[in-house]
């Protein structure tokens, strides 16, 4: 976990959709095996490779030790229901209603994922979650709608240029909403601090400096995360739509865009959340 490549490999396991189908009994076996490894009591014949293959951290919250609700696990972001919302965000010629709907749906899911995978070392009131959710939805919708209106009123743009620019509107809207969500939901950490631990994992106190450090890294991650997802597909699709294949078969545009979004999503998610270690030193 001290290197970017190590974290990237780790999070490839975390987002693996196969973890969505692990049974409760199989999960208990994995947890027990990892506990045996920590205490040096592995059963005879069990190798280190088998231990490394266990992936309970994709399912169990590290602070509460409770099972994370399946749709809100990090591995729940890749199935079709999730990346179809990304496709919806990038649809061309959207109406006001469709823009509001897709931004609301995306931020609603983001809020649930953020809450399910939150830092739970200190209890946080439900009002903070609601505050962050409302702030994210309002900022995403207002920025997306505002930019679309400005682009529509820009008489200097040709219809083709206007359509191309509109495809990039979701990125600033989602990135701004992500920052707003993080700040609103976790701003109390700046006042109260977060737990800091020594080398043995013992809590030695609370630190506002550590909280500021953690909040900044989280916000940067939330800006980087939607970048490949909402920037690369419009660029790629603007090229592919000019090919003879998609010009002669316009019905293929949506399936092709879905595949492009899925590939971008699958690559961007582990890259973004691997930027910083989960446990930092200050």
């Amino acid at each position: 976990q001290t290197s970017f490549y190590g974290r990237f490999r780790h999070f490839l396991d975390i987002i693996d959709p196969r973890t969505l189908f692990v049974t409760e009994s199989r999960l208990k076996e994995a947890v027990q095996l990892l506990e045996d490894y920590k205490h040096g009591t592995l059963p005879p014949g069990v190798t280190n490779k088998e231990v490394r293959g266990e992936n309970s951290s994709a399912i169990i919250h590290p602070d509460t030790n409770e099972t994370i609700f399946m749709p809100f696990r990090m591995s729940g972001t890749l199935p079709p229901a999730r990346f179809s919302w990304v496709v919806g965000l990038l649809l061309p010629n959207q109406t006001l209603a469709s823009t509001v709907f897709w931004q609301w749906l995306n931020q609603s899911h983001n809020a649930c994922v953020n809450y399910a995978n939150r830092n739970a070392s200190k209890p946080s009131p439900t009002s903070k979650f609601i505050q962050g959710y409302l702030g994210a939805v309002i900022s995403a919708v207002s920025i997306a709608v505002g930019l679309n209106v400005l682009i529509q009123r820009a008489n200097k743009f040709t219809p083709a240029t206007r359509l191309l620019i509109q495809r990039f509107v979701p990125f600033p809207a989602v990135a701004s909403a992500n920052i707003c969500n993080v700040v609103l939901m976790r701003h109390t950490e700046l006042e109260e601090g977060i737990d800091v631990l020594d080398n043995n994992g013992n809590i030695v106190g609370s630190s506002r400096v550590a909280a500021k450090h953690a909040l900044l890294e989280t916000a940067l991650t939330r800006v980087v995360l939607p970048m490949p997802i909402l920037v690369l597909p419009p660029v790629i699709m603007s090229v592919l739509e000019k090919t003879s294949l998609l010009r002669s078969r316009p019905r293929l545009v949506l399936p092709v865009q879905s595949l492009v979004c899925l590939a971008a999503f699958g690559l961007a998610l582990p890259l973004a959340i691997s930027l910083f270690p989960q446990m930092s030193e200050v």
Side-chain angles (χ1 to χ4, degrees):
Q1 298 295 298
T2 57
S3 70
F4 174 81
Y5 180 65
R7 292 192 297 273
F8 178 70
R9 290 186 61 185
H10 169 70
F11 284 113
L12 283 178
D13 290 336
I14 295 295
I15 68 169
D16 188 341
R18 290 176 296 180
T19 61
L20 296 173
F21 306 103
V22 174
T23 63
E24 191 69 25
S25 60
R26 181 68 188 89
L27 179 61
K28 289 180 180 179
E29 291 176 5
V31 171
Q32 186 59 52
L33 190 62
L34 292 172
E35 285 297 317
D36 291 342
Y37 174 78
K38 289 179 183 178
H39 296 95
T41 57
L42 278 177
V46 177
T47 65
N48 286 343
K49 184 177 181 181
E50 289 177 284
V51 175
R52 286 196 297 269
E54 303 301 339
N55 194 19
S56 63
S57 57
I59 304 171
I60 296 177
H61 195 286
D63 294 331
T64 64
N65 289 322
E66 296 178 354
T67 302
I68 301 172
F69 185 45
M70 188 174 67
F72 304 141
R73 297 173 192 167
M74 297 302 293
S75 53
T77 57
L78 287 183
R82 179 65 179 93
F83 79 83
S84 62
W85 303 344
V86 178
V87 176
L89 286 170
L90 297 174
L91 289 174
N93 298 318
Q94 292 200 41
T95 63
L96 175 62
S98 65
T99 299
V100 172
F101 172 75
W102 289 115
Q103 289 290 348
W104 166 78
L105 189 60
N106 182 60
Q107 291 304 324
S108 296
H109 184 268
N110 285 346
C112 292
V113 171
N114 291 342
Y115 183 78
N117 297 275
R118 71 195 182 283
N119 182 337
S121 59
K122 287 189 175 181
S124 179
T126 306
S127 60
K128 295 298 180 185
F129 167 73
I130 297 174
Q131 188 181 51
Y133 168 65
L134 292 176
V137 171
I138 292 172
S139 59
V141 170
S142 58
I143 292 173
V145 172
L147 288 176
N148 276 325
V149 170
L150 288 175
I151 293 170
Q152 290 294 340
R153 292 181 178 179
N155 298 324
K156 294 182 180 180
F157 294 148
T158 64
T161 303
R162 187 179 291 111
L163 179 61
L164 180 62
I165 295 176
Q166 279 182 320
R167 287 186 165 185
F168 292 97
V169 167
F171 171 66
V174 170
S176 302
N178 287 349
I179 295 177
C180 183
N181 185 292
V182 170
V183 172
L184 288 175
M185 289 187 68
R186 298 181 58 178
H187 72 89
T188 53
E189 295 178 10
L190 297 175
E191 303 169 0
E192 302 175 2
I194 59 174
D195 290 342
V196 288
L197 302 85
D198 60 18
N199 290 333
N200 297 319
N202 301 313
I203 297 176
V204 295
S206 293
S207 169
R208 290 193 293 270
V209 173
K212 183 179 179 180
H213 186 77
L215 201 62
L216 178 61
E217 289 188 351
T218 304
L220 287 174
T221 300
R222 300 297 168 80
V223 173
V224 173
L225 176 57
M227 192 178 295
I229 303 169
L230 299 177
V231 174
L232 283 179
V235 174
I236 295 173
M237 288 306 300
S238 65
V239 175
L240 293 179
E241 286 174 358
K242 296 177 182 178
T243 62
S244 57
L245 176 65
L246 293 187
R247 280 185 174 181
S248 59
R249 297 176 177 84
R251 292 184 177 180
L252 291 178
V253 171
L254 188 57
V256 170
Q257 180 167 319
S258 299
L259 290 174
V260 170
C261 287
L262 177 61
F265 208 107
L267 177 64
L269 184 58
L271 283 175
I273 57 182
S274 301
L275 288 176
F276 305 105
Q278 289 181 296
M279 296 293 291
S280 295
E281 294 183 358
V282 293

